[in-house]
């Protein structure tokens, strides 16, 4: 079987032949979890090349019975091998980026722990690859629930906010913001999890970053946190940070900070603190300085200032930038 797999791997390098291998994914899958590392690696490379050849081919790989389970088994069996990490990352990337609606869902359902493990390796390039895969998964609505409820992805990722590379800070904060900005934000499961995972302090630090993308994404994640009322009491600690962003942040970050303040002003426990810290004046000045930004102006006048005066409504579904 090993010789046949090697021959198929060579054929996969030929564009005219790779399409024909799409019908052979079953036999190739049988070698993915092989005890022989070389056979396992060859099988994964074949599947990656097939998956990259087109959406239909990728779905053929992903939907073949037991595909993702075999990949998970191979990762466990050969976890000490660096090459297996590269092969798994390549195959998963190909499936997630295939344009298929089904592939990212299946990958998230089965392979989230493996991808998180890749993000925690000592290889910086692999860390970035894994985080980009997680970002692609986190934008899919159903994946936000699966990744958190099944694998506690938010709790796993929050410690990565402490990394010093702005590129990684931006990616991790964006993933967390996507995951917390869920369709069921009214009930706050993922937004609440962000608070429980102690994301507040590192996000406050990153919201002050000089890197504009880190600054925006961290403020976005704070806004998503504020959609859960149970986070409002601990989030009193970030009021100064949010008001600073409203005063001096980038336009998109200002919008997110206003959303967070609007949410926190909707509850008695935090409304009074916002008033004491001069939130109304800061909001009016921001609206005046950004008169051409209709979205920001509406958020301030129709939601934030309204909520500061009386019981109001929250901005439950925080949109992506």
């Amino acid at each position: 079987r090993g010789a046949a797999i090697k021959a198929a791997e060579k054929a996969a390098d030929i564009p005219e032949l790779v399409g024909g291998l799409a019908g052979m994914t079953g036999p190739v899958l049988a070698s993915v979890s092989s005890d022989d590392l070389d056979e396992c690696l060859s099988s994964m490379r074949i599947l990656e090349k097939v998956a990259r050849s087109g959406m239909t081919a990728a779905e053929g790989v992903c939907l073949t019975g037991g595909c993702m389970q075999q990949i998970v088994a191979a990762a466990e069996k050969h976890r000490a091998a660096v090459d297996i990490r590269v092969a798994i990352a390549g195959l998963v990337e190909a499936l997630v980026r295939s344009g298929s609606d089904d592939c990212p869902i299946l990958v998230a359902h089965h392979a989230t722990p493996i991808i998180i493990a890749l993000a925690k390796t000592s290889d910086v390039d692999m860390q970035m690859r894994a985080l980009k895969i997680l970002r692609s998964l986190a934008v899919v609505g159903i994946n936000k629930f699966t990744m958190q409820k099944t694998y506690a992805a938010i709790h796993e990722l929050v410690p990565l906010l402490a990394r010093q590379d702005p590129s990684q800070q931006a990616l991790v904060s964006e993933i967390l913001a996507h995951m917390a900005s869920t369709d069921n934000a009214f009930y706050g499961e993922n937004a609440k999890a962000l608070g429980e995972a102690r994301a507040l302090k590192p996000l406050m630090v990153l919201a002050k970053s000089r890197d504009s993308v880190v600054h925006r994404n961290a403020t976005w994640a704070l806004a998503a946190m504020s959609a859960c009322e149970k986070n409002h009491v601990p989030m009193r600690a970030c009021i100064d940070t949010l008001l600073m962003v409203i005063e001096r942040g980038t336009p998109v970050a200002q919008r997110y900070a206003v959303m967070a303040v609007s949410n926190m002003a909707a509850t008695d426990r935090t409304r009074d603190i916002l008033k004491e810290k001069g939130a109304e004046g800061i909001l009016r000045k921001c609206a005046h300085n950004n008169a051409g930004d209709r979205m920001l102006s509406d958020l301030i006048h129709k939601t934030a200032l309204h909520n500061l005066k009386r019981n109001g409504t929250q901005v439950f579904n925080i949109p992506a930038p």
Side-chain angles (χ1 to χ4, degrees), residues 27-60:
V28 175
L29 270 175
S31 297
V32 166
S33 57
S34 169
D35 291 332
D36 184 286
L37 178 59
D38 287 339
E39 186 176 331
C40 173
L41 289 170
S42 293
S43 300
M44 286 204 180
R45 289 169 187 146
I46 294 169
L47 293 174
E48 177 189 346
K49 290 168 184 175
V50 170
R52 291 189 188 279
S53 69
M55 184 180 75
T56 302
E59 289 181 338

Side-chain angles (χ1 to χ4, degrees), residues 79-90:
R79 59 181 176 271
V82 174
D83 287 346
I84 201 70
R85 300 172 193 166
V86 176
I88 289 172

Side-chain angles (χ1 to χ4, degrees), residues 57-84:
E59 289 181 338
V61 171
C62 209
L63 298 174
T64 299
C67 172
M68 297 311 305
Q69 292 92 326
Q70 293 275 44
I71 294 171
V72 171
E76 286 295 319
K77 190 173 292 184
H78 302 292
R79 59 181 176 271
V82 174
D83 287 346
I84 201 70

Side-chain angles (χ1 to χ4, degrees), residues 231-309:
N231 288 333
H232 287 185
V233 170
M235 285 189 74
R236 290 179 298 186
C238 75
I239 286 176
D240 287 336
T241 299
L242 293 172
L243 294 179
M244 180 273 293
V245 173
I246 292 172
E247 285 186 301
R248 302 192 295 275
T250 62
V252 179
Q254 285 178 318
R255 293 176 192 168
Y256 284 125
V258 171
M259 290 179 195
V261 166
S262 298
N263 286 342
M264 295 173 70
T267 54
D268 294 335
R269 289 171 289 184
T270 45
R271 185 187 305 112
D272 291 342
I273 299 174
L274 285 164
K275 288 180 177 180
E276 291 170 5
K277 290 182 177 290
E280 182 175 352
I282 292 170
L283 287 165
R284 292 189 183 280
K285 184 177 179 181
C286 179
H288 176 75
N289 292 340
N290 297 275
D293 188 331
R294 181 65 181 271
M295 181 179 178
L296 182 59
S297 180
D298 285 350
L299 280 169
I300 291 173
H301 290 293
K302 295 181 180 181
T303 308
L305 292 174
H306 173 81
N307 288 358
L308 277 172
K309 294 179 179 178

Side-chain angles (χ1 to χ4, degrees), residues 105-129:
I105 294 172
L106 287 168
V107 169
H109 185 73
H110 293 285
T112 294
I114 295 173
I115 304 167
I116 291 175
L118 293 176
K120 293 181 178 180
T121 64
S122 58
D123 184 328
V124 176
D125 290 337
M126 182 57 70
Q127 291 172 4
M128 288 295 293
R129 287 183 76 180

Side-chain angles (χ1 to χ4, degrees), residues 89-144:
L91 175 52
V92 170
E93 277 177 344
L95 294 172
V96 170
R97 297 175 182 175
S98 64
S100 165
D101 291 333
D102 294 324
C103 289
I105 294 172
L106 287 168
V107 169
H109 185 73
H110 293 285
T112 294
I114 295 173
I115 304 167
I116 291 175
L118 293 176
K120 293 181 178 180
T121 64
S122 58
D123 184 328
V124 176
D125 290 337
M126 182 57 70
Q127 291 172 4
M128 288 295 293
R129 287 183 76 180
L131 290 173
K132 288 177 181 177
I133 294 170
L134 288 169
R135 177 178 60 185
S136 296
L137 296 178
V139 300
V140 180
I142 192 172
N143 287 351
K144 301 177 185 185

